[in-house]
Amino acid sequence: MQKLLQRNVKFILKDVEDAWNTHLDDSEWEDVVLPHDWAVSRPFSKENSSGTGYLPGGIGWYRIPFDMPEDAKDKDITVCFGGVYKHAQIWCNQYYLGSWANGYTSFDLNIAHAVWAGKRNLLTVRVSHEDIADSRWYTGSGIEREVKLLIQPKVHEIVKERVFKVTSIRDNIAEIETEHIVVNKRDTECICKLADYLNGKEKAAWEGRIKAGETAAISFKFKTEDLELWAPDTPRLYEWKTVTECDGEKDENASNVGILKTVFDADKGFFCNDVSMKIKGICLHDDAGSFGNAVPKNVWRRRLEKLKDMGANAVRMSHNPHSECLYELCDEMGFFVIDEIFDEWEGPKNKWWQGHNVYPPKHQGYFLDYPVWHEKDVEAFVKARRNHPSVIMWSIGNEIDYPNDPYCHKSFGEMTGNNDAGKPAQERQYDEQKPDAKRLVALAEELTGLVKKYDTARPVSLASAFPELSSNTGLFDRLDVIGYNYKEQFYEKDHKRFPDKPIFGSENGHEYKQWKAVLDNDYIAGQCLWTGIDYLGETRGWPEHGSRAGHLTTAGFKKPDFYLRKSFWNEKAGFVKIATCKKDSPSWMELRKFIWNYEQGDEIQVEAYSNLEDVELFLNDKSLGKVERDEMGKFSLIVPFEQGSLKAVARDKEGSVYEDVLETDNAGRLLCARLVDGNITADGVSYGQIAVTVSDAKGNIAREAAIPVTAEAKGEVCIVHMDNGDLSDTSDYVSTTRNTYHGQLMIYFRSTGKKGKAFVSLRSPVGDVEVAFEAQ
């Protein structure tokens, strides 16, 4: 049995002496719900680190109560943490259980000896994140992932040791191997039964004796027929359940699995179920704007639904393991996963704390923990995700070979990376006293071996930043698949040098030529764009507190680049979309907008995005002619501004017509709101989402409107926070008033835990709206 620990949690952001003491009065502590990221509920401050989003760290304590029945004394009980950032120390009922350094890997602690049967118990967690310049992007702080109790009989299967492998698929028959470890924590020998079920049908069984205090390793091989294969367009899942029984007492463990075969071929690229396809991947960090790194599943679902519509079929977990709910969604929705564990090994990378590439950097971070913890972290990383059908490859590191950061080599007198704008000349020069890049070869060999110790079914890769060097040191020889961060110019040359090594773009820019490098070369498996969604941290400097490199904003709204990428990747349904900016403006990120509001006579660069080739533009219903796709993959035209309407029309070969229209903003404003999630569960932990827009008199979104909106909850919900996607807006996320950005705003609320009617009232200078629903 599993029990989530989420409610009635007490938290304080300060170091309290002996806060693990069960007698401590915590009545003045803050009430929080788990998962919880304390940083986003605090103010932004220039005094904090730019790299981690100008949000605070510190030391925090959590006190988590839970009740146990009388029969708990006859059970084995484990507390499972999905991730605590970072340096967690854990107590149960004043018994110290241990610590865990890494903020991203999951860990389990047995608490059977500490539990009080038939009483209220107390878990206490101390979290230390004082070194807030410890990362190049936002990390958050606190118990950011789910915490659960695993309550099992004394004789039970060890959950994290479960293995489900598809060894072959032929003629619609799949051969499966499963592995189990059963432990007997009784004082006497027992006769144990164990059976595997796939979608309710028993597939294999075992019976045997297990001595007291010992384990039994059990493996099965069986075949299954007529199952639908898992693929991005058909992500079919099946329940794999294992039942362990001893003296009539049963232990059941179940998870969703998929049946698929993936192959990275050095000459032909990537195949899923013998079908050649390109990996259309996006890199994702953990955060979701105002949620920080404690992101609910339904918020991730809304984001992934949009990325799926864009045409993406893969996620690279950058640059660390993510929350379990994101992997579950990738399984359910059909996204391949490249799962990544480290951004640095034993050498410290530059951490920017006063603006990106503003020297001097700081050197805090995981490298201090790596020598002691990396083996445990790799074990936890692989075991946590190896049964997910979506996971197709492991990555042992991101840009570990970034030039002079800190590794260098005498073969390069000067080394320049892909993100070195403003880097001082002396920082680019070879320094014989810096760590030798050849050291990475031994580390990569060790890490690859550790991964394969726990999973041999998937290849191991690394995202290389400096292939000019790493291809010569022997680093690439330690990998199954070579990942290139940018550096597409080396694909052809290195394909010839490493004819047996598959190649893919582990991190790529948004330009059409970079996608063409994938399309025009069969041997390139695909690419992963930096990045799918805007994220906190890695900012250029105050007041910006995040990166705008995404195709969606932190609030999950689509940007012009979303539609450009959709025109490359989504071939299923025709569409056309227009964005504009003034001529000679950098056509990038925020300068392109969905507007037709300029001064009379301004020369405007019009960009139409479409996956069709027949595109025509109209100004006030007068044809401007058909437009050809340019080398950037867009349909571009310079148009003198006239008030009225700008329209793009695209036609497919069957004669279907698709249109998009931009109109000059009409006077008048109207506040509109839409409930994104219609079903709100009255459990006190479920979140709802409201999308707010400001419209003009014709009903078009007023994209330049920055209107303050105040939210008030009535009934059985409470407002949690608001996000408009503007990464220069430093108002508190937990404030109940926030401006719209490009005419849009997201409001997030949570149920109180009681059933009943609920209302969210919105007030603004352009009108008021009330959204009504029921918590059930």
Side-chain angles (χ1 to χ4, degrees):
M1 182 180 76
Q2 294 186 4
K3 179 180 180 180
L4 283 175
L5 302 180
Q6 297 175 286
R7 299 184 65 187
N8 304 315
V9 178
K10 291 289 189 175
F11 170 75
I12 191 168
L13 184 55
K14 63 184 289 189
D15 200 6
V16 178
E17 186 175 359
D18 296 343
W20 44 264
N21 193 316
T22 53
H23 298 291
L24 183 82
D25 180 7
D26 59 14
S27 59
E28 298 300 316
W29 289 26
E30 183 181 347
D31 294 305
V32 300
V33 171
L34 299 182
H36 174 249
D37 178 353
W38 78 61
V40 285
S41 64
R42 270 67 186 175
F44 292 97
S45 171
K46 194 176 181 180
E47 301 305 311
N48 297 322
S49 171
S50 63
T52 50
Y54 291 116
L55 285 167
I59 294 176
W61 283 87
Y62 294 87
R63 288 165 63 89
I64 310 168
F66 64 96
D67 296 319
M68 294 301 294
E70 284 288 349
D71 66 354
K73 61 182 179 294
D74 300 319
K75 303 294 184 181
D76 193 57
I77 305 168
T78 303
V79 59
C80 308
F81 289 90
V84 182
Y85 203 92
K86 62 180 185 174
H87 289 149
Q89 296 173 285
I90 301 94
W91 290 257
C92 180
N93 297 333
Q94 301 195 46
Y95 287 87
Y96 180 61
L97 304 176
S99 63
W100 195 265
N102 193 312
Y104 297 118
T105 50
S106 57
F107 60 98
D108 305 337
L109 296 166
N110 193 282
I111 60 172
H113 65 285
V115 165
W116 298 329
K119 297 181 180 179
R120 172 148 288 197
N121 294 254
L122 183 69
L123 274 173
T124 313
V125 182
R126 182 183 187 270
V127 184
S128 178
H129 183 205
E130 296 178 280
D131 53 339
I132 57 173
D134 62 332
S135 175
R136 300 184 302 116
W137 63 91
Y138 180 77
T139 63
S141 299
I143 303 178
E144 299 179 340
R145 298 176 186 168
E146 68 177 23
V147 181
K148 63 184 178 184
L149 293 178
L150 185 60
I151 305 167
Q152 297 176 287
K154 295 284 188 178
V155 180
H156 62 266
E157 180 186 24
I158 301 174
V159 175
K160 66 181 180 182
E161 301 296 342
R162 288 162 54 84
V163 176
F164 182 96
K165 290 190 292 188
V166 180
T167 56
S168 74
I169 302 173
R170 189 178 297 108
D171 299 327
N172 206 31
I173 299 174
E175 295 184 0
I176 311 295
E177 291 183 7
T178 64
E179 298 174 11
H180 311 268
I181 294 180
V182 178
V183 62
N184 177 10
K185 291 194 173 184
R186 293 181 177 181
D187 296 329
T188 58
E189 183 180 74
C190 70
I191 298 175
C192 177
K193 298 178 182 179
L194 183 142
D196 261 349
Y197 297 82
L198 196 61
N199 251 31
K201 296 180 180 180
E202 183 177 305
K203 306 300 292 186
W206 170 90
E207 183 175 344
R209 292 181 177 274
I210 308 176
K211 292 181 179 180
E214 295 189 2
T215 61
I218 301 147
S219 60
F220 296 130
K221 293 182 180 181
F222 56 85
K223 296 180 180 180
T224 186
E225 301 181 26
D226 300 324
L227 293 180
E228 187 176 355
L229 300 183
W230 189 100
D233 291 337
T234 56
R236 183 68 165 91
L237 296 175
Y238 297 92
E239 183 191 55
W240 168 45
K241 183 171 72 172
T242 304
V243 180
T244 307
E245 184 176 357
C246 181
D247 296 334
E249 192 173 26
K250 292 184 178 181
D251 173 49
E252 296 186 2
N253 296 298
S255 55
N256 288 329
V257 294
I259 311 298
L260 76 160
K261 178 177 72 173
T262 58
V263 174
F264 285 86
D265 186 277
D267 291 318
K268 299 179 182 179
F270 177 71
F271 292 79
C272 179
N273 302 326
D274 297 323
V275 176
S276 174
M277 62 180 67
K278 296 294 188 182
I279 293 173
K280 301 173 181 177
I282 43 92
C283 301
L284 289 180
H285 275 312
D286 285 74
D287 74 274
S290 59
F291 281 98
N293 281 6
V295 187
K297 188 172 183 177
N298 62 329
V299 173
W300 271 123
R301 184 183 295 277
R302 172 175 171 260
R303 299 167 132 218
L304 290 181
E305 285 173 346
K306 294 186 178 186
L307 294 172
K308 193 79 171 177
D309 176 56
M310 189 178 76
N313 64 12
V315 173
R316 175 182 171 224
M317 302 294 185
S318 306
H319 303 292
N320 48 261
H322 285 38
S323 61
E324 176 65 15
C325 70
L326 184 53
Y327 296 87
E328 292 173 355
L329 285 169
C330 289
D331 291 343
E332 296 165 14
M333 300 175 67
F335 285 90
F336 297 120
V337 169
I338 295 94
D339 209 7
E340 193 159 72
I341 183 168
F342 296 128
D343 187 57
E344 64 184 10
W345 297 343
E346 64 181 22
K349 285 186 176 179
N350 292 335
K351 311 299 191 315
W352 309 111
W353 57 283
Q354 52 186 346
H356 191 68
N357 279 4
V358 178
Y359 281 79
K362 290 187 177 181
H363 294 101
Q364 303 169 351
Y366 178 75
F367 76 97
L368 294 168
D369 297 315
Y370 180 90
V372 173
W373 284 95
H374 71 278
E375 293 184 26
K376 291 181 180 179
D377 284 330
V378 171
E379 179 181 1
F381 164 66
V382 177
K383 286 183 176 180
R385 316 297 181 210
R386 62 187 173 185
N387 295 324
H388 282 277
S390 57
V391 176
I392 59 170
M393 183 160 59
W394 308 109
S395 171
I396 56 175
N398 171 65
E399 297 190 344
I400 305 296
D401 60 343
Y402 197 90
N404 279 344
D405 195 14
Y407 297 93
C408 61
H409 193 266
K410 60 185 178 182
S411 61
F412 281 81
E414 181 176 302
M415 300 170 69
T416 301
N418 56 50
N419 199 15
D420 277 351
K423 192 172 188 177
Q426 65 270 22
E427 295 293 330
R428 304 170 191 259
Q429 303 301 315
Y430 170 66
D431 182 348
E432 63 179 8
Q433 295 187 21
K434 281 192 170 185
D436 191 329
K438 279 196 170 183
R439 171 63 177 158
L440 298 176
V441 179
L443 296 176
E445 186 169 26
E446 181 198 12
L447 290 171
T448 298
L450 285 171
V451 170
K452 290 180 180 293
K453 179 180 179 181
Y454 306 111
D455 181 53
T456 58
R458 297 168 178 85
V460 177
S461 185
L462 174 148
S464 173
F466 204 56
E468 303 96 306
L469 175 60
S470 297
S471 62
N472 293 312
T473 59
L475 182 61
F476 286 0
D477 296 323
R478 273 62 183 175
L479 308 173
D480 299 317
V481 177
I482 307 171
Y484 287 72
N485 280 15
Y486 314 99
K487 303 296 179 76
E488 294 87 356
Q489 65 268 31
F490 293 104
Y491 285 172
E492 183 177 359
K493 175 183 174 183
D494 285 357
H495 176 53
K496 294 175 180 177
R497 293 178 60 204
F498 300 94
D500 298 326
K501 297 286 186 183
I503 295 174
F504 89 110
S506 44
E507 188 171 310
N508 303 88
H510 298 203
E511 295 182 15
Y512 188 50
K513 65 181 180 181
Q514 293 158 339
W515 176 235
K516 286 282 287 179
V518 177
L519 286 180
D520 295 344
N521 295 288
D522 290 342
Y523 60 87
I524 301 299
Q527 68 172 192
C528 295
L529 298 175
W530 192 262
T531 175
I533 306 173
D534 291 352
Y535 57 94
L536 298 178
E538 201 168 16
T539 177
R540 300 290 170 181
W542 185 265
E544 292 281 313
H545 50 270
S547 168
R548 299 178 186 263
H551 296 76
L552 302 176
T553 68
T554 56
F557 296 122
K558 299 174 183 177
K559 299 162 71 173
D561 228 45
F562 173 95
Y563 293 97
L564 175 61
R565 183 55 46 170
K566 182 176 179 178
S567 73
F568 302 159
W569 280 2
N570 189 331
E571 302 171 358
K572 295 179 181 178
F575 83 97
V576 66
K577 189 72 175 178
I578 319 170
T580 65
C581 63
K582 286 188 177 182
K583 181 185 176 183
D584 299 327
S585 296
S587 184
W588 180 245
M589 305 298 183
E590 295 298 298
L591 294 176
R592 288 176 293 168
K593 298 179 181 179
F594 305 117
I595 63 170
W596 191 239
N597 302 316
Y598 299 96
E599 297 296 324
Q600 194 74 17
D602 281 351
E603 289 194 307
I604 307 303
Q605 179 168 323
V606 175
E607 296 180 357
Y609 316 121
S610 179
N611 53 5
L612 305 172
E613 296 303 321
D614 186 346
V615 175
E616 186 174 1
L617 292 176
F618 293 82
L619 180 59
N620 293 325
D621 294 325
K622 180 181 178 181
S623 176
L624 302 177
K626 294 188 176 183
V627 186
E628 300 292 325
R629 191 186 298 272
D630 62 23
E631 62 181 12
M632 301 294 289
K634 312 166 186 176
F635 298 88
S636 300
L637 191 68
I638 302 300
V639 179
F641 176 73
E642 292 180 11
Q643 285 196 6
S645 66
L646 177 71
K647 180 169 68 174
V649 176
R651 303 174 180 85
D652 64 21
K653 294 179 180 178
E654 286 72 40
S656 297
V657 177
Y658 305 87
E659 295 184 358
D660 185 45
V661 179
L662 296 178
E663 294 184 296
T664 304
D665 195 355
N666 285 271
R669 291 286 184 264
L670 178 67
L671 189 70
C672 306
R674 176 177 60 87
L675 187 65
V676 176
D677 300 306
N679 298 316
I680 308 302
T681 305
D683 55 8
V685 296
S686 294
Y687 291 84
Q689 307 173 79
I690 295 174
V692 178
T693 57
V694 177
S695 299
D696 66 13
K698 287 192 173 183
N700 301 313
I701 297 177
R703 298 283 184 176
E704 296 183 296
I707 304 297
V709 177
T710 298
E712 180 183 1
K714 303 175 184 177
E716 301 308 330
V717 295
C718 59
I719 304 299
V720 180
H721 38 71
M722 306 164 75
D723 191 357
N724 56 17
D726 181 4
L727 287 167
S728 63
D729 183 348
T730 56
S731 54
D732 295 352
Y733 278 135
V734 293
S735 170
T736 54
T737 299
R738 201 172 191 87
N739 284 352
T740 59
Y741 180 60
H742 294 167
Q744 298 173 299
L745 174 68
M746 287 298 297
I747 298 173
Y748 302 103
F749 59 90
R750 187 176 63 236
S751 70
T752 63
K754 298 179 182 178
K755 294 183 178 181
K757 295 186 181 299
F759 307 87
V760 174
S761 298
L762 307 177
R763 302 190 308 276
S764 78
V766 298
D768 302 337
V769 176
E770 185 170 82
V771 180
F773 48 93
E774 190 162 346
Q776 300 176 340

